[in-house]
Amino acid sequence: MSDAHSRLRLVRAGIDTYQQPVIYMHRDCHVCRSEGFTALTRVLARSGDREVVATLNVVVDDRLELDVAALSESAWTLLQPGSEAWAVFSHPEPPASAPALRAKVFGQRLGEADFLALMRDTVSNRLSDIELTAFVTACAGDRLDKEETVALTKAMLAVGERIDWGGGAVLDKHCVGGLPGNRTTPIVVAIVAAAGHRIPKTSSRAITSPAGTADAMEVMAPVALDLDTMRRVVEREGGCIVWGGNVRLSPADDVLIRIERPLDFDSDGQLVASVLSKKAAAGSTHVLIDIPIGPTAKVRSSAAAAFLEARLLATAQALGLDLSVLLTDGLQPVGYGIGPALEARDVLSVLRNDAAAPRDLRSRALDLAGALLDAAPGAAPGNGRTLACMLLDSSAALRKFLAICEAQGGFTEPGVAQHTRPVLANRTGQIQRIDNRRLAKVAKLAGAPGSATAGIDSRVRIGDSIQAGEPLFHVHAQSPGELEYAFEYASAHPDIFEIGVTQ
C-alpha cells in the first residue's frame, strides 16, 4: 500500500494536552478505516524527517474534515510540521521496554538495561499513559530496592541533557516538599552565589502544592530559560533559579511526575531518582537536601526521614555526588504567604532585611545556606551560617539576587490580589496544631498557583494565643468566586488550626 493511502493534511488543533501528544482524526477518514484506528489507539505520525507517537482521539461530527489530522500543542511541538504539511500514519512498533514493564508489574527486580529501555520509551512517547501508570504503580511504596533506585536514577540521567561546568565545585539544594511557604531557595541561591560559589538551581513548578519555586520566582523574573541562556546567567552571576522543565535535564522525570500527580503516590525510590537525576544532570557536585518532618508534611516521622536519608546517600554515592541532609521542622508553614506572589513577597522582605520579614523563613534560609557553605570544598566547618548571615545583613545577597533576576530577563515586583477576606478564629485559646495539607488546599481553591497573586497570608504559629474573632489567616483571590470557594472550605474545616483552650 502506498503512503497516499495513509496520508492526512496536518492542522493545529489549538488544544493543550500538557505533555501527552494527541492526534485528532474523523472516524470516517480513509486512514482510520484502512489502518483500523479507533479511539485511544497509539499512532505513529511521520512528517518530513520527524516522527511522533501519539494517542488518537476520534471526532464523530463535522468539525474536522476527512482529509485532515489535527495535532495537540504537544504533538505539534514534537513534530514541528511546516505550513501545508502532511503526515503519514501507521501503527507504531511495540515498545522495546514492554517485557521489562510486564516483569515489574509482576513483582520482579529490574536491572540497569531494563530501566534504561523503560526511560528511553518514556521520553520518546512509546509508552501510553496507561502503561506509564502501571510502571509508577509497580514502583510505588517500597517496591524499588536500593540497587533498583540507583539503576532508575542512572537511566533517567542517561536519557536527558547534562551540563558540564568544567572543574570546581557546583553547589545545589533541594527540599523534598510538603511544607507550604517554604520558599528558601531564592534566598539560599543569592547567599551562596554572593559568597562566590556556583549554584545553578533548576526548580519545578507546583505539582500538588499552591506554588513551586519556579512559580514564585517567575513572579519576580523569567524562569523559562533554555540551556544556553541558563549557562550565560550562571557564568555571569554564579547562580540562577530557572524552571527545569525547559532545559530537559531529566525529561523522563517530567513525564513520570505528570503521571504521579493525580495518583498522589509516595515512593522513596522514585523521589530519590527524581531529585538526584536532576541534580547530577545539572552538573552539581555538592548537594544539600532539606527534609521537613511533620505529621502533615510529606515525610511524617523521624523513622521515615532516616529511611529516605539512607536511600539518598546510597544513590548519591553511586552517582559520585557529595550529598548532605538537613532534617528540619515540618510541623507548620514557613513564612507568611502561601501562593506564588505572596511567597515572593516574603523572599524579598527577608533579602531586604525588612523588620517585618518572617523570622522563620530567614532563620531556615540561613540554616540551609550555612550548611551548604560548610559542605563546599575547603570550607572551615561551622563557619557557614556566620558567613551566610553576614552576606544577608550586608545586602550582598540582595544585590546578587537582583543581578540574577536582571540576567534572567529583568526584575518585577510581586503583584497583589484584587480580593481578600479573613478567616476568623471561632474560639479563644492557644494554637496547638496546624494542618499543612488543608491549609495548602485553601490556597489552591483560592486560585494558586494558576493565579499568581492568589493564596493565603497567615501570621499565627503554634504556641501563639488568639482571641475568638481574630484572623487566623487572610484568603487572597483574583475573583470573588474563588475567594468564596476557598473561604467556604476553610469555614467547613475549623480544625486546620487546632485551638486549645487556655487554662
Side-chain angles (χ1 to χ4, degrees):
M1 183 180 291
S2 69
D3 283 350
H5 292 87
S6 54
R7 276 204 327 162
L8 290 173
R9 183 165 52 88
L10 300 179
V11 298
R12 197 169 186 165
I15 298 174
D16 182 3
T17 54
Y18 190 44
Q19 295 172 338
Q20 183 183 22
V22 175
I23 291 174
Y24 305 86
M25 295 181 190
H26 196 284
R27 68 178 174 185
D28 293 328
C29 76
H30 63 276
V31 173
C32 282
R33 289 179 177 274
S34 63
E35 295 289 340
F37 289 161
T38 57
L40 301 186
T41 297
R42 299 287 284 169
V43 300
L44 173 64
R46 291 191 178 94
S47 181
D49 60 353
R50 302 182 72 88
E51 64 178 40
V52 64
V53 177
T55 299
L56 179 68
N57 280 194
V58 173
V59 178
V60 299
D61 59 19
D62 60 359
R63 74 187 67 194
L64 194 63
E65 298 174 43
L66 294 181
D67 66 340
V68 167
L71 274 58
S72 72
E73 291 298 287
S74 174
W76 187 273
T77 300
L78 291 168
L79 202 56
Q80 295 182 7
S83 60
E84 300 300 320
W86 294 72
V88 176
F89 295 90
S90 62
H91 290 275
E93 293 293 323
S97 62
L101 174 58
R102 190 174 298 109
K104 192 60 189 171
V105 167
F106 282 96
Q108 298 179 32
R109 294 184 70 257
L110 300 184
E112 288 192 16
D114 297 319
F115 281 112
L116 184 56
L118 281 160
M119 293 305 100
R120 281 175 174 162
D121 282 344
T122 295
V123 298
S124 62
N125 296 300
R126 296 281 171 175
L127 294 173
S128 68
D129 277 12
I130 293 173
E131 290 166 319
L132 289 169
T133 302
F135 173 71
V136 167
T137 304
C139 295
D142 58 356
R143 297 182 184 96
L144 288 178
D145 61 24
K146 286 184 180 180
E147 290 75 19
E148 287 183 301
T149 300
V150 171
L152 175 59
T153 308
K154 289 182 175 179
M156 293 170 69
L157 187 58
V159 298
E161 301 281 351
R162 295 190 69 169
I163 304 178
D164 183 0
W165 298 102
V170 178
L171 278 57
D172 206 344
K173 61 84 64 176
H174 179 81
C175 177
V176 301
L179 202 57
N182 191 20
R183 202 53 58 215
T184 57
T185 290
I187 305 168
V188 171
V189 170
I191 291 171
V192 172
H197 296 287
R198 286 179 297 183
I199 180 165
K201 184 74 178 76
T202 62
S203 298
S204 62
R205 298 192 186 277
I207 299 172
T208 58
S209 67
T213 296
D215 299 307
M217 184 66 187
E218 194 169 41
V219 171
M220 299 177 282
V223 297
L225 277 57
D226 59 29
L227 207 52
D228 289 340
T229 307
M230 173 185 168
R231 184 183 290 277
R232 288 196 295 271
V233 172
V234 175
E235 288 173 348
R236 173 175 155 183
E237 299 298 341
C240 68
I241 306 153
V242 304
W243 174 48
N246 213 44
V247 293
R248 288 185 61 83
L249 292 180
S250 184
D253 181 51
D254 295 331
V255 176
L256 294 180
I257 284 174
R258 172 173 62 82
I259 300 298
E260 292 164 355
R261 178 185 296 163
L263 297 175
D264 196 23
F265 283 162
D266 287 323
S267 168
D268 283 344
Q270 288 173 322
L271 187 155
V272 168
S274 171
V275 172
L276 296 189
S277 65
K278 287 188 171 175
K279 298 308 171 191
S284 304
T285 60
H286 294 70
V287 180
L288 174 68
I289 305 293
D290 174 16
I291 304 181
I293 306 169
T296 57
K298 181 175 289 186
V299 179
R300 302 185 186 184
S301 68
S302 296
F307 186 86
L308 178 58
E309 180 179 7
R311 185 66 59 91
L312 283 162
L313 290 169
T315 306
Q317 184 178 26
L319 296 176
L321 291 175
D322 188 309
L323 184 135
S324 52
V325 173
L326 198 63
L327 305 179
T328 56
D329 179 6
L331 293 177
Q332 57 188 332
V334 178
Y336 299 144
I338 301 174
L342 293 163
E343 294 176 25
R345 176 207 62 189
D346 287 351
V347 164
L348 288 170
S349 68
V350 170
L351 286 168
R352 288 166 172 164
N353 292 301
D354 291 344
R359 288 176 294 177
D360 56 351
L361 180 61
R362 172 188 163 91
S363 178
R364 199 179 194 94
L366 287 171
D367 288 345
L368 292 165
L372 196 50
L373 292 171
D374 281 341
N383 290 341
R385 198 180 194 281
T386 301
L387 174 59
C389 192
M390 182 193 73
L391 292 167
L392 184 58
D393 289 345
S394 67
S395 294
L398 173 62
R399 290 192 294 272
K400 176 56 69 176
F401 178 75
L402 294 175
I404 289 171
C405 289
E406 289 301 323
Q408 289 187 197
F411 172 76
T412 303
E413 287 284 347
V416 179
Q418 294 185 14
H419 306 276
T420 63
R421 184 173 180 179
V423 174
L424 307 178
N426 61 0
R427 65 192 300 182
T428 297
Q430 188 179 60
I431 305 297
Q432 304 288 336
R433 180 178 173 273
I434 301 175
D435 190 322
N436 290 312
R437 292 172 182 259
R438 284 184 170 170
L439 195 59
K441 185 167 184 177
V442 176
K444 288 190 287 184
L445 291 172
S451 174
T453 57
I456 66 169
D457 185 292
S458 177
R459 307 292 170 121
V460 299
R461 292 291 181 266
I462 293 174
D464 289 352
S465 296
I466 193 164
Q467 299 292 315
E470 289 183 343
L472 290 165
F473 56 91
H474 286 76
V475 179
H476 291 235
Q478 279 297 98
S479 72
E482 287 172 319
L483 183 75
E484 187 63 29
Y485 200 18
F487 180 81
E488 287 180 0
Y489 177 85
S491 299
H493 296 87
D495 57 341
I496 292 175
F497 285 77
E498 186 177 309
I499 304 173
V501 179
T502 305
Q503 298 296 327

